[in-house]
Amino acid sequence: MPERAPHVHADGTAPKGILRRRPERWLFTGIYGLVLASALVAALDVPGEEADPGQDALWVLLTALTSAAAHGYAHVIAQRAAGDGKAGPGRLRAVLAEWPLVAAVLPTVAMLLAALAGWWSEDTAADTALLLNTVCLFGLGVLAARAAGLSRLSACRAGAMDMLIGLVIIVADALIE
């Protein structure tokens, strides 16, 4: 049984701070966005083709926006199917609540735009984005586990498991190239 972190409240609530309001939703969509950004940057970085980091950045951003909208709308459909088909601002809120997915891809987009500006090559931008996203997966995994009340050691193990997703993408990218 995992140990509880000493800062977890007696009533079992998550600690205060950045993750105090619906941390599971923020973490889920943030991790999803990091995985999406990594997969896209790996897929768009095709060896032998002329690099176009501006177009790649646009694809990453548009895909994240579309995925966030689709995921939020899927929540609306699920609510409707559950019989809670109330109309109103709740539907828009469900879609807008997916903002962490889009926020998670912004560093990747920024790195690709830096390649467009000539600060580094697109290959370097893609490799750096893959590495950064993998490290961020570890960090979000640790945050999620700590918010759930796990000890530091258990949280690090959870973060390592999340980081494994990024490592799989990096290995797949290397093998496919």
Side-chain angles (χ1 to χ4, degrees):
M1 182 124 156
E3 305 167 33
R4 302 292 290 179
H7 65 279
V8 174
H9 301 282
D11 63 358
T13 60
K16 301 274 186 218
I18 191 170
L19 300 176
R20 87 175 153 238
R21 192 166 179 253
R22 306 253 343 202
E24 69 282 351
R25 182 111 182 211
W26 189 93
L27 292 166
F28 171 79
T29 54
I31 288 171
Y32 185 82
L34 288 170
V35 171
L36 180 68
S38 294
L40 284 169
V41 80
L44 292 171
D45 183 30
V46 179
E49 287 189 10
E50 186 176 332
D52 189 352
Q55 183 178 6
D56 290 351
L58 183 60
W59 272 114
V60 171
L61 185 60
L62 288 176
T63 303
L65 287 167
T66 304
S67 295
H71 193 260
Y73 190 66
H75 283 291
V76 170
I77 298 297
Q79 272 184 326
R80 190 178 303 148
D84 188 20
K86 295 182 235 170
R91 292 178 179 175
L92 180 60
R93 255 185 265 139
V95 174
L96 293 177
E98 302 299 319
W99 70 265
L101 190 156
V102 177
V105 305
L106 293 180
T108 299
V109 170
M111 288 179 210
L112 290 169
L113 291 176
L116 179 66
W119 295 353
W120 54 18
S121 71
E122 183 177 20
D123 286 340
T124 303
D127 292 345
T128 305
L130 287 172
L131 181 61
L132 176 69
N133 290 345
T134 300
V135 170
C136 288
L137 282 168
F138 174 79
L140 282 181
V142 169
L143 282 173
R146 293 296 286 165
L150 298 181
S151 69
R152 285 188 178 101
L153 181 59
S154 294
C156 285
R157 282 193 296 252
M161 292 307 294
D162 286 353
M163 189 170 115
L164 188 60
I165 298 168
L167 293 174
V168 166
I169 293 170
I170 290 171
V171 169
D173 184 45
L175 291 175
I176 291 170
E177 286 183 5

